[in-house]
Amino acid sequence: TPHVNLGTSSLSTSVLSGTNFTLSMWINLVGGIDGGTNYTILNNEVYQASGLILRVDGSAAFIYLRTNTSGAKVSSQTANNVISNTTGWTQLVVIKEGTAVNFYLDGTLLTNAASGSHTNAVAATNPLSIGAATSSGSIYYQAFKGDVANLQIYNRVLSQAEIKQNYNAQKGRFE
């Protein structure tokens, strides 16, 4: 399974378990949604116990973030079919601000279909990986079917203006 393993670092143990963070990336889902497989974008989850997972749901084509705190999982997701008709590169931004999560595609705020009350995720012991989920720290599955580029992780919340500015500044590289 093609993926990038970033190991365990302060990035995965402090920033992604913090109160506020922003994940910004460009994704290119190749071949579309197949009706069943989940496509992991970013993961350091110890299944439903600690860490987080960001993925595209393969059955309903929504974007999903799950954080885990002491065995309690909390999920937020976009409406169905936000990603199914996407062709080519798309900018995805996920913001966790306090207990709320918001999703942006191509600089535009999406409406959440479900939004849990996210507390700070328990720092994960699994390595942070791009493009696949992990099990037992080394078995990779639910690979992202496509490309992930220009992943940026911030230890703060980007404003809507900053998200739009970044989208406009970078979109020429991905057209």
Side-chain angles (χ1 to χ4, degrees):
T1 302
H3 67 280
V4 176
N5 179 336
L6 299 174
T8 54
S9 68
S10 62
L11 176 66
S12 60
T13 58
S14 64
V15 174
L16 296 179
S17 61
T19 302
N20 300 319
F21 61 80
T22 301
L23 305 172
S24 177
M25 69 216 68
W26 287 80
I27 60 172
N28 180 21
L29 188 61
V30 176
I33 300 296
D34 71 5
T37 305
N38 292 320
Y39 308 107
T40 301
I41 300 169
L42 188 68
N43 176 72
N44 71 345
E45 179 182 66
V46 175
Y47 185 66
Q48 297 185 1
S50 63
L52 63 79
I53 186 167
L54 174 65
R55 67 183 180 204
V56 174
D57 179 271
S59 60
F62 58 78
I63 301 166
Y64 170 92
L65 177 75
R66 179 171 63 224
T67 58
N68 299 282
T69 306
S70 301
K73 61 180 182 169
V74 179
S75 303
S76 292
Q77 70 184 52
T78 64
N80 290 350
N81 299 312
V82 297
I83 204 78
S84 61
N85 297 323
T86 303
T87 57
W89 288 97
T90 301
Q91 182 206 40
L92 169 62
V93 176
V94 180
I95 291 179
K96 179 182 173 291
E97 182 173 15
T99 61
V101 169
N102 288 302
F103 301 91
Y104 291 78
L105 279 182
D106 293 337
T108 302
L109 177 65
L110 300 175
T111 302
N112 285 354
S115 188
S117 181
H118 295 262
T119 56
N120 295 359
V122 172
T125 54
N126 272 353
L128 183 63
S129 62
I130 302 168
T134 57
S135 176
S136 303
S138 61
I139 302 167
Y140 294 91
Y141 62 101
Q142 293 184 340
F144 188 75
K145 189 171 75 170
D147 304 300
V148 178
N150 203 26
L151 173 65
Q152 299 172 331
I153 301 174
Y154 299 85
N155 63 356
R156 65 181 184 88
V157 172
L158 292 184
S159 70
Q160 196 160 4
E162 288 174 306
I163 292 166
K164 193 68 167 177
Q165 178 183 8
N166 288 349
Y167 169 72
N168 288 329
Q170 298 170 9
K171 69 182 180 181
R173 298 182 208 169
F174 297 98
E175 293 180 324

